[in-house]
Structures are given as structure tokens and as C-alpha cells.
């Protein structure tokens, strides 16, 4: 059974607002509409947890969710068309750079992708962030229910090649029907396991 409880711990625009403590942390990133909120909600079996971070004014912030009092999910703003203008790109990187460079308890990164789409430049940039911080990287391909088995397998291979991430680090889910969620849960448990 995946996690059972999540609550919004903190929203942060800058490092001084990050929550204190040393619980292991997982960062979730992805293009707007990729299905990041739905995935987080499915992982904790709560309908509206991650949507609480999507209210106006909070979309440019990092949202920290405390999960079962033992780990933290950090939800990064969804990127997309908006990031194409220089000012939003700057705002995004000034939020994300210090986090990836200095967050000591950061233990892994989950990149959320729509299984139907080719990874974007921003997706590739996020992978680079994860690599520079020497994090384990898991790519979760959502909306698998919208593709045939054959299409999924073709797309997974393509995504793996474009991002240069081994297929073993790619998972597919249908977050609405909660298919594949246990596998994501297991991958997170592996990331946070003390070494
Ligand atoms: P976010 O912007 O990345 O947080 O995306 P959301 O979680 O808000 O999802 C965007 C849309 O995709 C919503 O309408 C979701 O219901 C839908 N969605 C998300 N995951 C899935 C999935 O696995 N399967 C299907 N069919 N729809 C999904």
C-alpha cells in the first residue's frame, strides 16, 4: 500500500523558507498538465492534496508536503509555455537552482511526463539538474491508459533515448485508476532507504 497521509507543510519562494529538519526529500518536476498533481494525490491516496499547491499565487513556489511524518515531497512549479519568456525562466531557475544545489536531504528526483509526448527541452534541462546533483532519477510516464501497449512500449524507448535515462528507470502509470502506483511507491522507498 502506498503512503497514507500527506499534508502541506510549507510553501517557499526562497531558501530561508524551506522547512527545517532532516527528513528525506523527493522532488517532483514536470511540464504543466503532465499529471504531477494527480500522481502525488494517487501516491498518498488523497484527492486534493497536490491541488492545494495550485491555488493562484502559489504556482511560482515550491510546495513541501509532509508524507506519513517520515518523508517530504517537494512539488516544483509545472513548466510549460510560460517558461518560454525570459522573465519566467529566470524566476523558475532562481527558485530551483538553490534547491538542487543546496538541499542536503534531497534524495531523489521524479520527472513526470505525459506518456504520449516527446520530452521537451525543459524536461531535458530538469534531467540535467538531477544529474548535476547526483540524484537517482525516476521518470514516471502518466496517462498510459490513453495508449495501446504497443504505443507505450515504443514511446518508452523513445523517451529513454531522448533523456538518456535507462528504461529500467522509467515507469508508466494510469494515476486515475492507480495502475502502476505501487511501483512508483517502491522506487521512492528505494531512494530514501538509508545507505
Ligand atoms: P499537473 O499540471 O502536472 O499537476 O497535471 P494534473 O495532475 O492537474 O493533470 C492534468 C490532467 O490530466 C487532469 O485532467 C488529470 O485528470 C489528467 N490526468 C493525470 N494523470 C492521468 C492519467 O494517468 N490518466 C488519465 N487518463 N488522465 C490523467
Amino acid at each position: 500500500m502506498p503512503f497514507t497521509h500527506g499534508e502541506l507543510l510549507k510553501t517557499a519562494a526562497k531558501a530561508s523558507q524551506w522547512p527545517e529538519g532532516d527528513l528525506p526529500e523527493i522532488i517532483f518536476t514536470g511540464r504543466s498538465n503532465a499529471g504531477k498533481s494527480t500522481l502525488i494525490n494517487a501516491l498518498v491516496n488523497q484527492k486534493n492534496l497536490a491541488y492545494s499547491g495550485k491555488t493562484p499565487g502559489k504556482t511560482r513556489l515550491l510546495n513541501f508536503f509532509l508524507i506519513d511524518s517520515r518523508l517530504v515531497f517537494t512539488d516544483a512549479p509545472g513548466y510549460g509555455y510560460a517558461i518560454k519568456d525570459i522573465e519566467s525562466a529566470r524566476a523558475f531557475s532562481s527558485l530551483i537552482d538553490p534547491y538542487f544545489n543546496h538541499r542536503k536531504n534531497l534524495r531523489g528526483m521524479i520527472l513526470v511526463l505525459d506518456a504520449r509526448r516527446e520530452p521537451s527541452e525543459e524536461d531535458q534541462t530538469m534531467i540535467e539538474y538531477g544529474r548535476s546533483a547526483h540524484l537517482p532519477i525516476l521518470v514516471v510516464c502518466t496517462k498510459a491508459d490513453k495508449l495501446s501497449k504497443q504505443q507505450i512500449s515504443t514511446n518508452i524507448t523513445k523517451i529513454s533515448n531522448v533523456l538518456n535515462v535507462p528504461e529500467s528507470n522509467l515507469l508508466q502509470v494510469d494515476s486515475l485508476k492507480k495502475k502502476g502506483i505501487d511501483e512508483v511507491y517502491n522506487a521512492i522507498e528505494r531512494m530514501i532507504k538509508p545507505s
Side-chain angles (χ1 to χ4, degrees):
M1 181 64 201
F3 307 102
T4 56
H5 179 77
E7 62 192 62
L8 185 62
L9 184 63
K10 204 98 195 237
T11 58
K14 51 187 181 197
S16 59
Q17 296 167 339
W18 296 343
E20 289 177 9
D22 53 7
L23 291 177
E25 218 157 274
I26 304 290
I27 173 94
F28 286 72
T29 69
R31 190 189 179 110
S32 312
N33 219 35
K36 183 158 56 68
S37 309
T38 312
L39 174 68
I40 292 174
N41 290 341
L43 278 164
V44 295
N45 211 14
Q46 272 169 241
K47 276 211 163 71
N48 292 314
L49 177 67
Y51 297 134
S52 59
K54 275 193 162 182
T55 48
K58 288 190 180 173
T59 48
R60 291 278 185 89
L61 304 172
L62 291 175
N63 290 305
F64 294 84
F65 297 106
L66 177 64
I67 309 298
D68 288 346
S69 310
R70 67 183 177 96
L71 76 154
V72 172
F73 288 172
T74 308
D75 188 8
Y79 43 85
Y81 304 105
I83 210 172
K84 295 267 185 249
D85 75 82
I86 288 172
E87 206 178 304
S88 348
R90 255 193 220 130
F92 187 79
S93 59
S94 68
L95 185 70
I96 288 288
D97 286 0
Y99 182 80
F100 274 91
N101 287 327
H102 302 299
R103 190 63 168 161
K104 290 204 169 54
N105 42 339
L106 183 55
R107 303 288 282 280
M109 166 177 154
I110 295 185
L111 179 74
V112 183
L113 276 185
D114 184 325
R116 299 167 300 177
R117 303 180 77 129
E118 278 222 19
S120 65
E121 257 177 55
E122 289 87 1
D123 292 321
Q124 299 193 42
T125 303
M126 289 317 307
I127 293 282
E128 289 311 319
Y129 270 106
R131 283 206 181 105
S132 306
H134 307 289
L135 295 174
I137 297 171
L138 177 72
V139 178
V140 177
C141 303
T142 63
K143 314 190 190 185
D145 48 299
K146 294 190 184 253
L147 291 173
S148 69
K149 276 214 170 107
Q150 175 64 46
Q151 284 171 315
I152 273 281
S153 140
T154 308
N155 288 13
I156 292 268
T157 304
K158 203 187 283 173
I159 291 167
S160 156
N161 288 336
V162 173
L163 295 178
N164 199 16
V165 168
E167 283 195 33
S168 53
N169 289 17
L170 264 70
L171 291 175
Q172 42 162 306
V173 296
D174 167 1
S175 303
L176 299 185
K177 293 222 176 75
K178 305 225 168 84
K179 284 190 188 153
I181 297 299
D182 282 349
E183 285 74 9
V184 180
Y185 166 77
N186 290 335
I188 294 172
E189 289 289 9
R190 283 196 294 275
M191 284 173 174
I192 64 172
K193 212 160 85 185
S195 48

